[in-house]
Amino acid sequence: MDTKGMSLAAMIFGICGIVLSWIPVTFLRFLALPCAIVAIVLAAIALKKIKNGAEGNKGMAIAGLVLGIISCASAVLAVICVVCAIVAVGGALAGMANDPNIFGMIISLL
């Protein structure tokens, strides 16, 4: 693949990673991390080739690298938030299951 194509692909994968990392559907959010990794790798390869004298779009490669890094960070943050939410809900449910008065309280609310 030529350097211009790598730069463009890195930018596109970076944009896709950013968009996917902010979609509230959980399974789509996990696709952001692979997109971010691909964007970072393609941008790094393109920048290395451009530095060695190949002709290419350095701006697109830098944009792909920056977007990939931001997307990777936001995807990791999203995964951490999902894990924390699961742990918090699990802890709350475990606390409710150990409380003998919880069922009486629920029935009295009905």
Side-chain angles (χ1 to χ4, degrees), residues 4-51:
K4 290 180 182 180
M6 279 189 193
S7 300
L8 180 63
M11 192 174 72
I12 290 171
F13 274 109
I15 292 169
C16 289
I18 290 283
V19 170
L20 289 174
S21 67
W22 290 106
I23 291 179
V25 180
T26 305
F27 68 89
L28 285 178
R29 186 176 291 167
F30 291 115
L31 293 176
L33 193 58
C35 284
I37 292 170
V38 170
I40 292 169
V41 169
L42 286 176
I45 293 171
L47 285 171
K48 184 177 178 183
K49 285 185 176 183
I50 291 170
K51 184 179 178 182

Side-chain angles (χ1 to χ4, degrees), residues 26 30 79-93:
T26 305
F30 291 115
V79 169
I80 290 171
C81 288
V82 167
V83 169
C84 288
I86 290 170
V87 169
V89 169
L93 291 177

